[in-house]
Amino acid sequence: MLSYDISKAGDDTLYHFLYRSIKDDILSGRLEADAKLPSKRPFANALGVSVVTVENAYEQLLAEGFIYSLPRKGFFVAAIQSKNPQIQPKPIHAKQSRESQRVETPKALHYIADFVNNQVDASTFPFSTWAKITRKVLCEQQNELLTRSPNSGVLALRKAIAKMLLEFRGMHVDPEQIVIGAGTDCLYTWLVQLLGFDKKYGVEDPGYSKISKIYQKLNVVCNFIPLDEHGVRINQLEETCTDVVHLSPSHHFPTGKVMPVSRRYELLSWASKSSNRYIVEDEYDSEFRMVGRPIPALQNIDVQDKTIYINSFSKTLASTVRVGYMILPKPLAQKFHKEFSFYTCTVSNLEQYVLAKFISGGHYEKHINRMRNFYRHRRDTLLDIIRRSPLHDRVEIAEQDAGLHFILKVKTTLSDEEFCNRALEKGVRIGALSDYYTMAEPSQHEFIINYSSVPEKQMKKAVLLLEKIVKC
């Protein structure tokens, strides 16, 4: 018969100590599968505890699947051991060394310069203003904070965004057309549910790979549409029978190109030919056009309600501020409110109200202007370093006037992979444009330079190291 020293229970309840003891014996293999456990009354007498204690321990083990019962026969050990010794469960109370208890996490890699990282510079976040507004919201809007938000987000934020778009982009948007979500990833998934899983979705090739991965995970048809010098090819949309095309016309990632107005009207004409067709306009960093005024949104010239506009605050504030928004054509907005009312908004009320006050109080406009100057200076510094270095004769710069990256065309005999690997060995992380192609023929010897998070000192070292690689 099983025997346990009940005096070792300490502060633990007797039934829980007994439950843990039996469980550990099962997990360690000391109690084999299908072994019969002692009957409750004799077991209780042997341990010097009540029958209720044994019953409670058995009930817990039974509920968790460690034992099973047979009518009029009793309780037996369940077969939970895996046939693969590498994935055997461990007793949760087994003694382990500190070394074995340590969870291995990936080590943070340190680079002299990281031109792949496209996050904003952490030092630029307006912490003091954000904290002041947060305290004000916590003190003055307690009822609103604890009131469930509509599925499309709190009205205060939707109104603030509508006003911002009118002032910044000349876009006339009803707040009821705006849907708030926890970043664009969330909004992409809602769009598929809204537009239909039977639709064929098109993405730019080359393009932002996360979009196609999300569509593929949702098991919808995803067509890769090649680009020409003006953007996605209209004839390819027709040939692939694409219904919904996802693109970034104001600053394409990764090529950095801006779609001319002629191609925009061609796209709108394409979309107007079927009730199933829509354009998803993703303006992920349109705020950072370094020369001239921002490019007008495609949505702004759409008179047939065929454009779904998507943007977020990940580039202008921080990638960890998980607030994105989409502007739905009015018929789709009505459908969303009617059919998706059971959804809960994925952004907390606190974050929504703070951001609403940040925008409506004029802080966001000031922040954008400050950040545009900050990044323009950082870009100009890097371009000047390249121009003054011997590297200048071996490279060309393209698409430097919009967004937070540009294209570096390198005259080298090295393959893209070899060039990136050699740069990485020297501590410079750089990405090749060819990595973003899926079906189309990739361009060679063109590299993406995200400069948003690279300080000036690191830029100088990186250019010097890249110069040495090019000379090889």
Side-chain angles (χ1 to χ4, degrees):
M1 181 177 288
L2 285 178
S3 180
Y4 300 105
D5 188 354
I6 296 297
S7 65
K8 294 182 179 179
D11 294 332
D12 204 355
T13 60
L14 294 181
Y15 100 84
H16 195 261
F17 172 79
L18 180 58
Y19 148 79
R20 287 195 295 108
S21 300
I22 298 173
K23 180 178 176 180
D24 286 352
D25 280 351
I26 293 172
L27 289 171
S28 66
R30 286 191 292 270
L31 283 174
E32 296 180 352
D34 301 317
K36 188 177 187 303
L37 294 176
S39 299
K40 289 180 284 186
R41 189 171 298 280
F43 195 22
N45 292 335
L47 296 174
V49 297
S50 68
V51 176
V52 173
T53 297
V54 176
E55 283 180 346
N56 288 340
Y58 278 7
E59 287 298 326
Q60 187 65 34
L61 291 165
L62 188 66
E64 294 183 18
F66 287 100
I67 64 175
Y68 64 95
S69 65
L70 295 176
R72 293 188 297 275
K73 291 186 178 180
F75 296 91
F76 299 82
V77 176
I80 66 167
Q81 298 296 309
S82 170
K83 294 181 180 179
N84 185 345
Q86 294 182 340
I87 57 172
Q88 291 290 350
K90 296 180 180 179
I92 57 174
H93 296 283
K95 292 183 178 179
Q96 299 176 9
S97 66
R98 288 184 180 273
E99 203 63 35
S100 65
Q101 290 177 0
R102 203 173 287 160
V103 177
E104 290 295 327
T105 56
K107 293 182 179 179
L109 298 176
H110 297 283
Y111 306 101
I112 292 172
D114 186 352
F115 293 114
V116 174
N117 178 15
N118 61 2
Q119 293 185 353
V120 299
D121 192 305
S123 65
T124 62
F125 188 82
F127 281 107
S128 59
T129 304
W130 196 264
K132 187 183 297 184
I133 294 174
T134 300
R135 287 193 294 271
K136 185 177 179 66
V137 170
L138 286 170
C139 291
E140 299 178 0
Q141 295 184 259
Q142 295 173 355
N143 287 337
E144 292 96 326
L145 291 176
L146 298 180
T147 301
R148 180 174 174 174
S149 163
N151 64 329
S152 56
V154 299
L155 182 58
L157 179 55
R158 288 184 281 124
K159 283 183 174 180
I161 291 173
K163 187 172 183 291
M164 173 191 74
L165 291 173
L166 178 61
E167 294 174 351
F168 287 1
R169 308 286 277 133
M171 297 169 61
H172 294 269
V173 178
D174 187 329
E176 292 302 313
Q177 293 177 257
I178 299 175
V179 175
I180 307 296
T184 52
D185 300 1
C186 169
L187 299 176
Y188 298 156
T189 60
W190 286 353
L191 269 182
V192 172
Q193 296 174 60
L194 184 64
L195 298 176
F197 289 87
D198 59 329
K199 302 293 188 296
K200 294 182 179 179
Y201 294 79
V203 296
E204 297 165 309
D205 188 14
Y208 185 42
S209 61
K210 182 183 281 190
I211 300 169
S212 59
K213 289 177 181 176
I214 290 173
Y215 286 148
Q216 289 165 351
K217 282 294 182 183
L218 292 170
N219 291 320
V220 296
V221 175
C222 182
N223 298 323
F224 293 90
I225 311 299
L227 311 180
D228 58 23
E229 65 273 19
H230 298 310
V232 292
R233 298 177 180 174
I234 307 298
N235 65 321
Q236 290 294 310
L237 293 175
E238 296 283 4
E239 290 178 16
T240 56
C241 299
T242 296
D243 298 303
V244 181
V245 61
H246 195 130
L247 43 81
S248 47
S250 293
H251 182 231
H252 175 257
F253 184 85
T255 66
K257 293 180 179 179
V258 177
M259 183 181 290
V261 68
S262 58
R263 180 57 54 87
R264 294 174 184 234
Y265 278 112
E266 286 183 73
L267 275 166
L268 290 172
S269 176
W270 165 83
S272 68
K273 293 177 182 178
S274 171
S275 59
N276 287 330
R277 291 180 179 178
Y278 286 96
I279 300 167
V280 180
E281 179 181 18
D282 198 330
E283 288 217 306
Y284 74 103
D285 70 350
S286 61
E287 297 84 359
F288 295 118
R289 182 161 178 79
M290 303 303 178
V291 177
R293 296 179 61 83
I295 304 296
L298 182 63
Q299 193 267 359
N300 216 21
I301 60 173
D302 177 14
V303 296
Q304 298 191 36
D305 276 346
K306 285 294 184 177
T307 305
I308 299 162
Y309 180 95
I310 288 185
N311 207 337
S312 75
F313 297 90
S314 62
K315 285 291 186 183
T316 52
L317 287 173
S319 59
T320 52
V321 177
R322 302 302 300 159
V323 183
Y325 61 93
M326 63 180 173
I327 301 169
L328 297 173
K330 289 183 178 178
L332 286 181
Q334 293 171 358
K335 182 180 179 181
F336 181 86
H337 293 306
K338 180 180 179 181
E339 298 182 10
F340 290 75
S341 59
F342 63 91
Y343 271 134
T344 301
C345 183
T346 52
V347 183
S348 72
N349 281 16
L350 176 61
E351 197 164 22
Q352 291 188 70
Y353 281 113
V354 170
L355 182 55
K357 284 189 176 296
F358 188 79
I359 296 171
S360 59
H363 306 291
Y364 185 67
E365 182 179 3
K366 292 177 182 176
H367 177 71
I368 290 293
N369 292 334
R370 185 167 59 249
M371 294 309 301
R372 193 178 291 119
N373 291 331
F374 176 86
Y375 287 125
R376 184 187 294 114
H377 174 74
R378 179 161 283 185
R379 181 209 60 177
D380 291 346
T381 299
L382 178 55
L383 293 177
D384 188 57
I385 292 171
I386 294 174
R387 289 191 191 101
R388 291 173 180 272
S389 75
L391 182 64
H392 179 256
D393 296 330
R394 306 292 296 271
V395 302
E396 292 180 28
I397 307 294
E399 310 301 340
Q400 71 266 35
D401 290 334
L404 300 180
H405 76 272
F406 58 80
I407 301 299
L408 186 72
K409 300 180 180 181
V410 181
K411 299 172 185 176
T412 178
T413 57
L414 298 174
S415 68
D416 288 358
E417 184 177 7
E418 288 173 324
F419 189 88
C420 292
N421 287 338
R422 291 195 186 187
L424 193 60
E425 289 171 2
K426 294 183 180 295
V428 179
R429 189 173 178 226
I430 190 171
L433 183 62
S434 56
D435 291 340
Y436 291 86
Y437 285 79
T438 303
M439 305 295 289
E441 185 67 27
S443 59
Q444 299 294 325
H445 305 146
E446 295 184 7
F447 303 91
I448 305 164
I449 304 297
N450 287 297
Y451 55 82
S452 59
S453 60
V454 183
E456 183 176 341
K457 288 183 179 180
Q458 295 176 339
M459 290 177 178
K460 291 179 178 179
K461 292 179 181 179
V463 169
L464 180 62
L465 292 169
L466 291 176
E467 174 195 327
K468 292 179 179 178
I469 297 171
V470 173
K471 284 183 177 179
C472 293

